Structure formats: structure tokens, C-alpha cells
Amino acid sequence: MIEIKNISKTYSGQVKAVNQLSLTVEAGEIIGFIGPNGAGKTTTLKMMTGILNPDEGEILLNGINIQSSPLKAKQQFGFVPDTPDMFLRLKGIEYLNFMADIYDVDENTRRERITKYAEAFQMTSALNDKILSYSHGMRQKIVVMGVLIHSPSIWILDEPLTGLDPQSAFALKEMMREHVALGKTVFFSTHVLEVAEKLCSKVAIINKGALLYFGSLEQLKLDHPNASLEDIFLKVTQNA
Amino acid sequence: MRKFKALFIVMLKNTFNLLDGRTKRSKLNKFMGLFLLVAFMPTLFSLYMLAKEGLFMLLPIQQEGLVLSLLFIALSSVTFFMSIFLVPAVYYFSKDSETLLALPLKAEEIVLSKFCLSVVYEYLTTFMLAIPVLVAYVQVMNPDVFFYVKVILILLLSPVVPLAFGAIIIMVIMAFVPFFKNRDLFNYASGFLALAFAIGINMVAGGTATLSQEKLLQMLTEGNNSLLAIFKFMFPNLPFAIQSLVDGSWISFILFLVITALVIFIFLYISKIIYFIGIIGVNETAAGRKQLNLKAYQKETSTKGAFMSYFLKEMRLMIRTPIYLLNNIATAFLLPIIFLVSIGSSIGSGEEELSTFINSIDWTNPDLLLVVSFAGLALGLMMSTMNLITPTALSREGSNIFFMKYIPMSYVKQIQAKIASGLAVSLFGILFSLIAAIILLKMHPIVIALILVMSIQGMIFMNYLGMIVDLIRPKLVWEQEAAAVKQNLNAAFTMIPAFALSFLPFMLMKYLPNNWFTVITIFIILSGINWMLIRLTTRMSITKLHALEV
Ligand SMILES: Nc1ncnc2c1ncn2[C@@H]1O[C@H](COP(=O)(O)OP(=O)(O)OP(=O)(O)O)[C@@H](O)[C@H]1O
Ligand SMILES: [Mg+2]
């Protein structure tokens, strides 16, 4: 469960990247976070994960405030950032094991999960190479695996599907579905409306830092009859 | 030419971070700049005094040109030496290279803008070295107005020839030696070459210092600037530059300009042919794509605990990144090796005085207590400063520093793991030097213990101080790993106190009673200082990392 209460963020006193944003995500929901470039998606996700401090408002993850008890809150989620170019000189396996140590995953569980996810993402033979030698999509996959390995109850993903091949994208989407079926939460940003349509129970549309719509896509379509998803999206974000 | 201009301006702005209009210079930064300037003052001043003294000595025998020759030879050699590192970084391994390749640009346009960029890079060193010497020259010689015009032009052009030579050599290597296309291998190779060079110079300088002095005097007495001839100029335009400065000859000056232009022309011509051969396919790394066998797999996936795992990650990244390996780790070996080689070779080559002196030291003599303690302290300070691990611990993270903020490991613990990596390498350096010293100096066990204890105090002090400096001003925006350590002023901020604290105690020594009581008091004071520093680091880890936004 994610509760975002009235958060705002202004960069260096000038750009108001997020403006009084509030939304509540119940357990068992997949939320697609959509909006044009520069809308404030990454900024919101960074505040949720403790990377940025909101100027006002508060964020609770499973009821724990990220500002006042950061360590406990950070144990609730796994985060996939928008740039997967991290720890390039570690081997894939070393990165995964490092994450497992940070999140205190026991030996048998981590082995099981590494084997399972490496197969799902076709990464088994790459694990022993340095991340530096990976393609963009492979880097994306290893970072996703670094989250999956500690099986957090909340997934926060910044454009996790960009760069993945169809097979891996399918695998990840399946995993998201399985995850929420267990009563857990997924919150991810995306530019692909079809993904949001097929996968998400609700979408949050943001532009210029303000939340324009939060609810199911069906409802949105009912509100705008006879329009394609793309048209609706363009209309909603334009009216802001 | 228009394309070149646009390209050069973009590169320049990008390098010096001017594109980013948002970053305002804080008061703190300005203060730090001032601090640095003040800190370098003594060095610059002694350079000035040295030049002045040299001039007064050389003037009666009409050798004043020698000062200028030495200056320009030093400038050119330093530039040439630096070009071996600068050229690959700027021309081949910089992040923009692949982007530029895809643009409709000619090789000469890319090369010329990169060349100008590297010339600008060199200006800091050039002017730092040149200004004190030239001020002395102007004061003593009182030259005419044209001197100033010429000297400014010559200084501005002085990096051109050495950089062009360096670049040509590197370009040939990159084009025809496939081995070097791997950036990591290149960095390792050139780095170790430089280390070997440093050790070599040290040996040669030690060996020939006595010899050349007589020769030098003999040459000096011959008079009339004939000394210029003893330097085999690798840089063909230099003699003309110096000539034109010494006797005001315009013909020499024009010849200087012509030769410089010619070198640029030749350089561009060569680069047109071979630059693209070298740059294509750069940035490859080896990848086996082999599956792990079960045993290796189990070893890789064993639990180590968060702290240990974090520490290991720090060490791995440092060891596997050539620039960091050379700057942060290899230095731990360099000092002891130089020490061993220079003392060892002196003893080996039968310098009786030294070995009799070493043998005559009575290590149990209580008069040595303070000297030994302070030497231990200095050893700890130096070994910890040189590796630059903690003052760059956050800087090295670069744009990935946000990782530290979203994992459920406290900032204090993460910072402690980073400091641990610094302590580990420092301790290694200290032990390595101690072993060298034990072998050569035949020290008494108590002396060894005292040195070790004191050096650990120095080590703790320096590593925590370095961490604090990096917490205050991490350099997170960089294009290449090298920038995080080599172009990071944090290094200077820790080196200056380290030097001061290493030498100051020796100055105060004569005012202190030479007994165990003093030693123990000093030890307690150091422990107190370190305790406070550790507390401060803990507090700052929390506040600074919390406030850090990327
Ligand atoms: N470090 C920063 N400093 C200043 N302004 C920033 C910074 N990062 C983002 N911004 C600004 O904040 C606004 C929101 O950016 P953000 O990265 O959150 O957008 P986004 O929705 O993730 O866009 P995209 O779809 O392109 O990823 C933009 O106007 C951007 O220019
Ligand atoms: Mg974004």
C-alpha cells in the first residue's frame, strides 16, 4: 500500500516538478504512471524512494513514513531506476549477491531466485560477465533481478519495460501480475499506453507536476466515449 | 571551420560544466578556491625565489637565458608526459566520441577541436609554473614591452608541440596495436609505465646528481648562452622561442610561429589518415558468456552480511577500474618501492657512509622516542593521503550515488564501509613500508611497535578527514572516471593538512621533553582528536547524505 499525501517538489527554487500530488494505492493493485516527458514521473518516484526529499507533504509505504523512518520504509520496496548503468564493473552474479546481502536474503532463497529469474530472463550464461559487457536491455534485466531477488512487497519501477525484448517484457509483466495476485503492490511509470491498458488496474496521469486523472482505464474510456486511448491521453494532458 | 568552432565551444562548455546553468557557485566553493590559492602560495613563492636567485647567479656569466630554457623545457616535458594520459582520454575514450562519430564531421574537425581542448587543459599547469619564474625574470632583467607580447603568445602556444607529438604517438598506437583498443588495458599499461617511469627517474636522479654538477659548472663558464646547446631539444620550436625572448629577435619569434604552425599542420594531416582507424571499435570489453559451474556459483552466492558485501563492492570497483587501481591502490606500493630501491641501491652500490650510518643507529636510545613517534605519525598520514580513497569515496559514485539513498542500509553504515576500504588500503601501505624499513634499517621491535601505533592514529585521522571533505563537496558530475580522482580538488584539501601535520611535529620537537610521558600524552591527544573526528563523520554522514539530492 502506498499513500502519497500532497507532495510537492521544486528543483533549485525554479522548476516546480511536482505540485501537490496525492494518491493512494491499495494492496493488490498495479498502477501505471503515465505522462509526457518532463511531467514529473521520475521526480515522484524519487521522492517515494527517499532519493529526493519532498518540499511538503508525506509518503507512507505500507504505513511507514519514508521521511521519519527511512530504513524501515526502504525495506518495503524494490526500485528500478530509469538508467540501469550501475556497478558496471561488477559481474552480474556479484551484483545480485550484493543486493541479496543488503536486503538480508538467506542463501538458499537467493540461489533459488537467481536460478529462476536468470532463466526467465535468459540471463544464465551472462551472469558471470561484467555488467559493462551487457547490452542496455540486459542491464535493465539485471537491475530488475536485483529487485526481484529480495521480493519486496512494493515494486517501484521507472520505465522498466523500455529496452526489453518481447520475451523478457512478457516475463516481467507476468511477474507483476503474479506479484499483485499475492496482495502486493506495483507502481511503475511507462510511456506505452497499451501496456497500461492490458496490465494496470488503475492509471495515474500526470502533467506539469499535477495529477490529472487517477482511476481505472475503463472509467476513463466511459468518460470519453468513441475516442481511442491515444486521443484520450492527448486530450487529458492538453487540457491541463 | 564553422563546424570546428561550434564543436570546440560545446566541448569546452561541457568539460568545464558551463552548460549547466543551474549550478550556481556557492560561497563555500569560492572560499575553497581561495583556500587552495593560499595553500599553493608557498610553492609558487619558492619557485619565484629560486628563479630570482638563479638569475642573479647567472647574470654575471651571461647565462640568464638558462632560466627561460629550463622553464620551457620543464613545461614541454610535463605537457608531453601528461599528454600520454590526456590524449587517450580526450580523443578516444571520452563519452562523446561515439556520438561524434555518428555526426557528419571530418576527422580533422573532431581532432582539431579535441586538440584545442587538450591545449586548454594544459594551461593551468603551464601558467602555474610559468608565472612565478617570469615575474622573477621581468623583475631582474627589466625587458622591453615586446617581451610581454611575445611571452604571452609563446606561453599560449607552448603546449602545442608536445601535445601534438604525444597525440601522434598515441594515434599510431591506437590505430595499429589492437591490444590497446581496450580502454582498460590501455589504462593499465600506460599507468604502470608511468609508475615505472617515476621509479626510474628517482633512481637516475639519485645516481647522476653528483656527476652533472661539475659538468654544469664547466659549461657555465664558457659563457654567452652556449648552454642552450646542451639540451637536445625534442621540441624544435623552443630554441627559437627562447632566443627571441633573450635577445628580442623578431626573426626567431617568427620562426617559432612558423614551426608551431607546421607541427599543427603535420599533426592534422596524420590524424586525417589514422584517427578514424583507431577510434572505431574502441570501448570493447571481454565477455565470456560462459555458464558458472555449480561450485563457483555457490561461492559467488554465499552470504557475507551487508557491511562486508558493501566493503567488497567498494574494493572490487576500485581494483577493477584501472584509473582507480592506479591512483588509489598502486600508490600504496609506490612509496615503499621507491624507498627500498633508492636506499637499497645506495647500499648496494657501496656507499659506505649510508650503511655505516644505518648500522650505527642505536634504536634503544631514548633520544629517538619523539622522532620515531612523529615518523610513525607522518607515515600513517602520508600512506593514507596518497591513496585518496576516502576523499573520493562519494565522488567516485558519480551519477549513481542515488543508489545509496534508496537501499535499506543506514548512511552511517555505508559511509563506514567506504572508510573501511580506505583504512584497509592505508594499513596495507603502512605495513608494506614498515616491512621495507625493517629490512633496510634493522629496527628494534619496540620502535616498530611505536611506529605502527602512531601510524594507525595518523591513518584514522586522514581517512576520516578525507571522508568529511568528500561529504562536504563530492564531485558527482563527471564524464570519465579519471575526473573523479584526478581532477578532484578534494585531493588537495586533504593533502595540505596531511603535509602540515607530518612536518609540524618535527619543528616542535625541540620544545618537547623526549620521554615516554610525552609520547603517551601525544597518543592520548591524537586518540581524542580521532574520536571527535569519528563522531563528526557519523553526524555528517546522516545530515549530508540526507540533504544530497541527485
Ligand atoms: N536534477 C534536476 N534539476 C532540475 N530540474 C530537474 C531535475 N530533474 C528533473 N528536472 C525537471 O523536473 C521536471 C520533471 O522531470 P522528471 O524527470 O520527473 O520527468 P519525467 O516525467 O520522468 O519525464 P520522462 O518521461 O522524460 O522520464 C522536468 O521539467 C525536468 O526538467
Ligand atoms: Mg523519467
Side-chain angles (χ1 to χ4, degrees), chain B residues 242-277:
Chain B
I242 295 158
Q243 197 71 41
S244 79
L245 289 178
V246 172
D247 59 17
S249 143
W250 281 101
I251 297 178
S252 302
F253 186 68
I254 289 166
L255 276 173
F256 162 78
L257 292 180
V258 168
I259 296 178
T260 310
L262 211 64
V263 169
I264 296 181
F265 186 75
I266 295 171
F267 164 71
L268 282 180
Y269 187 76
I270 295 178
S271 66
K272 191 172 156 181
I273 306 169
I274 60 176
Y275 178 62
F276 277 158
I277 306 177

Side-chain angles (χ1 to χ4, degrees), chain A residues 9 74 94 97 107 129, chain B residues 289 300 303 320 405 549:
Chain A
K9 181 72 195 177
K74 286 173 189 175
E94 287 168 348
N97 205 45
E107 234 166 63
D129 290 324
Chain B
R289 297 284 182 267
E300 292 277 17
T303 358
R320 290 185 192 164
K405 298 203 70 174
E549 301 203 322

Side-chain angles (χ1 to χ4, degrees), chain A residues 76-93:
Chain A
Q76 307 303 315
F77 67 83
F79 176 52
V80 175
D82 55 355
T83 46
D85 302 323
M86 299 195 297
F87 303 110
L88 296 183
R89 288 176 202 269
L90 290 185
K91 294 175 182 173
I93 185 95

Side-chain angles (χ1 to χ4, degrees), chain A residues 9 46 50-51 53 74 79 85 89 94 97-98 101 103 107 110-111 114-115 125 128-129 132-133, chain B residues 184 288-289 297-298 300-304 309 316 320-321 400 405 407-408 411 481 546 549-550:
Chain A
K9 181 72 195 177
K46 280 183 171 174
I51 296 170
N53 310 313
K74 286 173 189 175
F79 176 52
D85 302 323
R89 288 176 202 269
E94 287 168 348
N97 205 45
F98 170 60
D101 276 328
Y103 287 88
E107 234 166 63
R110 77 173 67 166
R111 282 178 188 155
I114 292 175
T115 316
S125 63
N128 198 32
D129 290 324
L132 192 61
S133 74
Chain B
D184 286 3
R289 297 284 182 267
Y297 177 72
Q298 294 204 329
E300 292 277 17
T301 53
S302 59
T303 358
K304 295 179 191 77
S309 210
R316 280 191 174 129
R320 290 185 192 164
T321 311
N400 281 334
K405 298 203 70 174
I407 54 170
Y411 298 144
E481 289 142 347
H546 177 78
E549 301 203 322
V550 274

